[in-house]
Amino acid sequence: MTVALILETGFLFSVFMLFAILFLLVIPVKISFSIVRQETFTGKITVEWFFGLLRYHLASTERIESKKKDRKTKSQTSSRKTPNKTSQLETKQVMKLLRNQRFMKNVLKFIRDLLRCVRLISLEIAGRFGLDNPYDTGRLWGNICAFTGFLHGTKQVQMVFEPEFNEAVFELDSRGVIRIIPVTLLLPTTMFVLSPSTIRAAWSASRDRE
């Protein structure tokens, strides 16, 4: 009787905890954010949960060094300094992912699935970007157009992106408010993480670091 009672109590406690977790996951989370990246990077985010009773605020500001000054300095000291292998490796990995059509399609599908789970209250984005290689800039521009194309008809969304083919640059000014029910994110996130293209991309990136 004692063992049966313990097992029954443990089972009831597990069921109670499961329903408690599911109850918490179905409570909407409201996220307000602002991200500006120009001469400085400024990020602000406010998360409200449990009907506004719990609130978390985070803000950060960092100075971005001018690339033109960096290029002048590098040109003056190029004979003394060796290339930064870490930055070259990171750039190589990013370019490799951009050229991986299966992985990029999977990323776009994952973003679309996430957007279906998000109630967009308002979103404003203005950006200017460019990579070292104009060809890579064009590919990135194509992916951005594929992602943002279906959003232009939404009243809550305003997006303006400008590609720069003459220099490497990234500027962003965005702000918005979204509402998410956490439990709806579990399925698309699991499918993306466990998809063959994501696993292959992660495996390839880990091999490049070795």
Side-chain angles (χ1 to χ4, degrees):
M1 291 294 295
T2 304
V3 176
L5 181 61
I6 293 175
L7 292 176
E8 183 179 354
T9 303
F11 175 75
L12 292 176
F13 178 76
S14 300
V15 172
F16 171 78
M17 290 299 299
L18 177 61
F19 277 100
I21 293 174
L22 290 176
F23 172 75
L24 294 176
L25 290 177
V26 299
I27 298 177
V29 177
K30 182 180 178 181
I31 302 176
S32 305
F33 65 89
S34 172
I35 300 175
V36 179
R37 187 187 190 280
Q38 293 176 350
E39 294 183 357
T40 60
F41 174 85
T42 303
K44 298 179 182 179
I45 184 171
T46 301
V47 180
E48 299 179 18
W49 185 59
F50 211 77
F51 311 106
L53 297 178
L54 300 178
R55 181 175 298 183
Y56 176 75
H57 179 74
L58 179 64
S60 176
T61 301
E62 296 180 5
R63 181 72 180 178
I64 299 177
E65 297 181 359
S66 174
K67 292 186 177 181
K68 293 182 179 179
K69 292 181 179 180
D70 292 344
R71 289 174 181 174
K72 290 181 180 179
T73 304
K74 289 179 181 179
S75 63
Q76 293 174 357
T77 60
S78 59
S79 59
R80 300 179 183 178
K81 294 186 178 180
T82 57
N84 189 328
K85 294 183 179 180
T86 302
S87 62
Q88 289 182 349
L89 178 60
E90 291 177 352
T91 303
K92 180 180 178 181
Q93 290 176 342
V94 172
M95 294 300 102
K96 189 174 183 180
L97 289 177
L98 288 176
R99 295 189 180 101
N100 189 335
Q101 295 184 359
R102 290 185 178 179
F103 177 72
M104 291 306 301
K105 288 181 179 179
N106 196 29
V107 171
L108 293 175
K109 181 181 181 300
F110 174 59
I111 294 175
R112 292 191 184 103
D113 291 340
L114 289 183
L115 289 177
R116 294 190 184 100
C117 302
V118 174
R119 182 186 173 188
L120 194 59
I121 300 176
S122 65
L123 179 62
E124 299 178 5
I125 301 178
R128 178 171 170 262
F129 67 92
L131 302 176
D132 292 328
N133 189 333
Y135 174 75
D136 293 327
T137 301
R139 290 182 63 89
L140 180 58
W141 173 237
N143 289 327
I144 291 177
C145 290
F147 165 60
T148 61
F150 67 98
L151 290 175
H152 285 295
T154 306
K155 295 180 179 180
Q156 297 91 339
V157 179
Q158 295 182 3
M159 289 187 177
V160 178
F161 287 100
E162 177 184 350
E164 176 58 61
F165 295 95
N166 297 323
E167 61 177 339
V169 63
F170 178 64
E171 297 178 354
L172 182 68
D173 187 352
S174 63
R175 61 201 74 244
V177 180
I178 61 176
R179 184 171 296 163
I180 303 173
I181 298 178
V183 71
T184 61
L185 303 178
L186 296 179
L187 180 59
T189 301
T190 302
M191 293 180 62
F192 172 74
V193 173
L194 299 181
S195 66
S197 60
T198 301
I199 295 175
R200 283 194 295 266
W203 173 254
S204 177
S206 63
R207 291 183 59 185
D208 292 340
R209 288 183 176 274
E210 294 178 356

